[in-house]
Amino acid sequence: MNFTETDEQLALRAAVAELGRKYGYDYFTKQARTGGRLTQLWDEAAKLGFIGVNLPEQYGGGGAGLYELAIVLEELAAAGCGLLMMVVSPAICGTIIARFGTDEQKQRWLPKIASGSSIMAFGITEPDAGSNSHKLTTVATRDGDTWVLNGRKIYISGVDEAEAVLIVGRSADAKTGKLRPALFVVPTDTPGFTFEPIEMDIIMPEKQYLLFLDDVRLPADALIGEEGAALLQLFAGLNPERIMAAAMAVGSARYALEKAVGYASERTVWSVPIGAHQGLAHPLAQVKIELELARLMMQKAATLYDAGDDMAAGEAANMAKYAAAEASVRTVDQAIQSLGGSSMTKEFGLAAMLANVRTTRIAPVSREMILNFVAQYSLGLPKSY
Ligand SMILES: Cc1cc2nc3c(=O)[nH]c(=O)nc-3n(C[C@H](O)[C@H](O)[C@H](O)COP(=O)(O)OP(=O)(O)OC[C@H]3O[C@@H](n4cnc5c(N)ncnc54)[C@H](O)[C@@H]3O)c2cc1C
């Protein structure tokens, strides 16, 4: 094991941090509050090769790993301007297509995803199924050379910015008729595919959508990989999703902690700066430790993933997402406490950030579903549901 990042990784970290400083939290919140997008930052990050750093060089990517992609997102979030669609487009969709797509699918989608010129959203959550993906009712039926897809998806991020959505549905086994997971790339301009924004109560530039798939007719090659192998493919994409969600949460919390430490070092209401009082210094030290622990688990998960150990990476990715969500919520909450009334002002924006990191406890997978996974998979306890 090696806890020292390479010169290339450190250089990447520094270069991304520099880009992040150019945009920062003011840019992020301004875009979010005015209904804008983070396109300018996305495009600049893409031009610098950051968006597709994990994808194969052969398709225009950086040829590095998920570890490096997590560095990019962590550093942008630490500057206050994390790009949520990085969790989805290069991490989930790019990974699944790179690992399981046919040559044609790779040629068609990977260069665009890697260059950042196209965004692919990801849709698994359904209104009725929720956390229970065994209950998905988005179903594809075969009609000659085409697939016909019907269903509903909810809370799907960034569909307005996306050229296509990777939809998790189910298809019927030709022999048994049993429904099995299947992944389809659905271009957002396909007839029968419509979407409407959900009014969210969070300050986030990426919007969430309700998707309607009504007799969406797709060519045979819209199915990614092999029929019947989708579960394996799905996990290959969901592990990066969890690692990237952890990276974004850790980065955001680093931003909040830096603000809190800066404020606590200067603000003086008695005879010494408020940070000198242990009542404030200790909780800040405590969240710093929790944050570093979460970061370590995220890095372990990314390292295992890049080493090709999907099983071990899966356990670590779940634990990392859990730890990062908990640590980031506590960190931002403590940062708020440290800033007193100032934390509630638009100038500091920490109240809005709390809602955003709080989301990490729910999405992309909830805290309880991770605890279920650890209870059953890691501890071997019986399942209750
Ligand atoms: C900002 C945002 C962006 C999102 N982006 C996307 C996206 O791009 N693509 C996408 O597919 N989805 C997306 N989601 C959806 C997200 O993944 C789901 O909200 C999440 O998986 C939880 O599903 P649910 O909301 O249906 O909750 P439910 O499944 O209804 O669960 C509600 C509560 O019950 C708990 N619960 C459920 N079952 C159990 C159990 N067996 N044991 C204990 N507790 C349980 C859950 O943990 C949760 O706390 C997004 C959500 C948000 C808020």
Side-chain angles (χ1 to χ4, degrees):
M1 269 185 120
N2 188 351
F3 295 103
T4 315
E5 292 187 336
T6 63
D7 288 347
E8 286 80 11
Q9 288 166 337
L10 291 171
L12 176 66
R13 219 175 252 294
V16 179
E18 194 184 327
L19 174 67
R21 274 194 298 276
K22 204 171 136 187
Y23 286 86
Y25 194 51
D26 286 348
Y27 166 76
F28 180 94
T29 46
K30 187 173 167 226
Q31 295 309 103
R33 288 184 205 279
T34 56
R37 294 177 182 168
L38 302 181
T39 313
Q40 206 182 334
L41 169 59
W42 179 277
D43 288 348
E44 196 167 341
K47 221 166 114 188
L48 292 165
F50 298 156
I51 302 289
V53 74
N54 62 317
L55 294 173
E57 273 177 294
Q58 185 188 354
Y59 298 102
L66 193 67
Y67 192 101
E68 283 73 18
L69 195 68
I71 285 181
V72 174
L73 187 53
E74 184 194 333
E75 289 304 325
L76 288 176
C81 50
L83 292 168
L84 177 67
M85 294 314 286
M86 280 188 68
V87 177
V88 179
S89 195
I92 311 177
C93 304
T95 297
I96 291 177
I97 295 173
R99 285 186 57 177
F100 303 102
T102 61
D103 284 347
E104 265 177 22
Q105 288 166 339
K106 289 181 195 172
Q107 288 292 354
R108 176 163 179 205
W109 295 109
L110 288 184
K112 297 188 207 180
I113 294 175
S115 69
S117 62
S118 181
I119 290 177
M120 192 176 283
F122 176 72
I124 182 167
T125 311
E126 292 188 2
D128 294 331
S131 303
N132 183 0
S133 45
H134 299 290
K135 246 177 69 179
L136 293 184
T137 55
T138 297
V139 172
T141 46
R142 201 63 199 242
D143 181 16
D145 272 353
T146 60
W147 289 103
V148 181
L149 202 53
N150 280 288
R152 298 281 178 272
K153 296 284 172 189
I154 194 166
Y155 305 128
I156 310 306
S157 297
V159 184
D160 56 326
E161 306 178 46
E163 182 181 343
V165 187
L166 184 63
I167 293 282
V168 183
R170 303 207 287 166
S171 66
D173 183 282
K175 284 194 200 118
T176 62
K178 237 178 113 183
L179 290 173
R180 298 177 309 185
L183 297 165
F184 295 92
V185 176
V186 182
T188 50
D189 60 1
T190 312
F193 178 90
T194 50
F195 53 101
E196 63 183 44
I198 302 167
E199 263 192 64
M200 304 295 282
D201 206 15
I202 42 180
I203 297 172
M204 198 181 269
E206 297 82 3
K207 298 171 190 63
Q208 279 67 46
Y209 291 87
L210 188 60
L211 310 187
F212 304 89
L213 296 110
D214 295 307
D215 289 330
V216 174
R217 198 167 280 275
L218 300 165
D221 73 350
L223 175 85
I224 296 294
E226 285 172 38
E227 239 188 306
L231 214 52
L232 177 77
Q233 297 165 24
L234 198 54
F235 283 114
L238 294 185
N239 291 339
E241 175 190 57
R242 279 149 209 198
I243 294 165
M244 291 294 280
M248 191 152 167
V250 164
S252 301
R254 275 177 52 197
Y255 174 89
L257 187 56
E258 195 187 312
K259 289 283 163 250
V261 168
Y263 193 88
S265 304
E266 284 179 9
R267 170 86 170 155
T268 305
V269 289
W270 307 96
S271 52
V272 289
I274 53 171
H277 305 306
Q278 289 181 348
L280 212 60
H282 281 187
L284 286 173
Q286 220 168 348
V287 294
K288 166 72 176 163
I289 293 169
E290 289 172 19
L291 207 53
E292 286 301 326
L293 290 173
R295 195 164 177 248
L296 203 54
M297 186 51 97
M298 170 192 85
Q299 291 172 338
K300 176 179 173 180
T303 303
L304 286 169
Y305 188 82
D306 289 336
D309 190 343
D310 281 344
M311 290 304 282
E315 185 183 43
N318 273 295
M319 290 180 175
K321 208 286 309 194
Y322 176 93
E326 297 308 308
S328 64
V329 171
R330 276 198 290 275
T331 302
V332 179
D333 187 60
Q334 188 53 45
I336 286 176
Q337 201 60 26
S338 308
L339 264 73
S342 302
S343 67
M344 295 291 149
T345 60
K346 268 195 184 169
E347 184 191 346
F348 286 97
L350 291 177
M353 185 175 275
L354 183 60
N356 285 354
V357 293
R358 184 66 183 73
T359 305
T360 321
R361 268 201 189 137
I362 301 163
V365 56
S366 73
R367 177 173 57 171
E368 292 72 25
M369 293 314 290
I370 291 181
L371 292 174
N372 284 334
F373 171 86
V374 172
Q376 284 130 40
Y377 175 80
S378 308
L379 302 179
L381 289 168
K383 196 172 171 180
S384 72
Y385 56 96

